[in-house]
Amino acid sequence: MENLKALAYELRETVMDEIMAGKAGHIGGDMSVMEILTELYFRQMNISPENADDPNRDKFVMSKGHSVEAYYAVLAKKGFFDREELVSTFSKFGSKFIGHPNNKIPGIEMNSGSLGHGLPVCVGMALAGKMNGQSYRVYTVMGDGELAEGSVWEGTMAASHYKLDNLCAVVDRNRLQISGNTEDVMAHDDLHERFASFGWHVIDVKDGNDIDQLHEAFEEAKTVKGKPTVLIANTVKGKGSSVMENKANWHHKVPSEEELAQIRKDLADRKEAALHV
């Protein structure tokens, strides 16, 4: 099996190629969410270009749709479309690879980016699976800033009510959003207790950029019966280079040539280190 730790850094390099070619991108969140997407698409989910039309395929919604560059990088690597077309046309006039996911692109279940919508839609997908006697699982990734949306908590309540144990949500808990620290904008620091009080099984992932910890958490989620599961994945915004890490101003940014050179070096070094762990 491919080294997923190294793959996550290879995919970050694709993200950099997209952002530099398109001259735009939500780079900080792309980097924080990469291990989550890598573990889901390359080890957890039953989804591929070959079974994309199978009603019993697993379902995924990128609720924090602004981190689309990371999502595109993963889907290209998975074989849903050509990497070179993605990089060369991303965010350009007339391109299908626009700045939020859209379901005209192979592998994407729903248009997302209007924050707060992903979880409620996934509740519907999971409930449909239960009603139809299907075995697929439904996954969504939300940003922590996104949790200020009231629709998230309506979905949380409904998922518990319908005992949707085929639903697994992930919170990309990087603690930064476009306007600063999440705890200053809208505090979430009792997230475990909040989700638990709604009747969810809650798994705290101490390092949400650690593939091994994520693997363990997703495996645990599959064993839970009678309730939905949420992973609170404590990640680092801009993960991959000290140029970007834990800096709110890298929420949406195109690096300078000097910054780019350092980021590329850092990503290459970390990928190389991951290959020898």
Side-chain angles (χ1 to χ4, degrees), residues 10-27:
E10 175 189 320
L11 293 170
R12 285 182 170 94
E13 292 172 340
T14 299
V15 168
M16 296 309 302
D17 292 342
E18 292 175 63
I19 288 173
M20 297 311 295
K23 298 182 173 57
H26 288 85
I27 190 168

Side-chain angles (χ1 to χ4, degrees), residues 80-273:
F80 282 96
F81 44 79
D82 180 66
R83 181 192 185 280
E84 296 314 310
E85 181 190 2
L86 163 65
V87 170
S88 63
T89 67
F90 173 69
S91 205
K92 291 188 168 64
F93 180 76
S95 173
K96 63 185 178 184
F97 297 108
I98 59 175
H100 285 88
N102 72 94
N103 60 10
K104 299 292 189 291
I105 294 176
I108 294 180
E109 298 285 352
M110 71 168 277
N111 298 2
S112 61
S114 295
L115 296 175
H117 291 188
L119 180 63
V121 169
C122 286
V123 168
M125 290 176 172
L127 184 57
K130 291 285 189 185
M131 293 171 70
N132 293 333
Q134 292 171 305
S135 61
Y136 65 75
R137 290 181 62 76
V138 182
Y139 296 89
T140 186
V141 173
M142 300 179 286
D144 48 3
E146 179 178 1
L147 301 186
E149 297 281 357
S151 50
V152 169
W153 300 102
E154 294 178 62
T156 302
M157 183 165 54
S160 174
H161 175 78
Y162 291 110
K163 299 179 171 56
L164 299 179
D165 50 20
N166 56 345
L167 173 63
C168 180
V170 185
V171 177
D172 180 24
R173 184 72 167 120
N174 62 38
R175 297 181 174 270
L176 291 172
Q177 57 192 102
I178 193 168
S179 28
N181 188 294
T182 55
E183 302 316 286
D184 296 329
V185 178
M186 185 62 67
H188 297 315
D189 231 352
D190 55 350
L191 271 186
H192 186 113
E193 291 82 1
R194 290 187 192 193
F195 276 101
S197 73
F198 277 86
W200 283 57
H201 180 71
V202 185
I203 304 172
D204 293 296
V205 184
K206 184 176 181 181
D207 183 353
N209 295 117
D210 184 302
I211 287 281
D212 294 334
Q213 292 184 32
L214 289 165
H215 179 68
E216 186 177 327
F218 281 120
E219 289 297 309
E220 178 183 331
K222 287 192 271 194
T223 70
V224 175
K225 301 302 177 191
K227 59 173 65 176
T229 295
V230 60
L231 276 56
I232 301 173
N234 292 285
T235 62
V236 175
K237 192 146 189 164
K239 177 73 174 181
S241 172
S242 58
V243 173
M244 306 179 287
E245 287 179 349
N246 272 322
K247 297 176 181 175
N249 65 324
W250 282 84
H251 179 84
H252 184 285
K253 187 172 180 175
V254 178
S256 67
E257 286 302 319
E258 183 180 354
E259 290 167 333
L260 176 65
Q262 185 61 53
I263 291 168
R264 288 202 187 279
K265 180 182 184 304
D266 291 343
L267 292 178
D269 289 347
R270 295 195 192 189
K271 180 170 71 171
E272 184 65 22

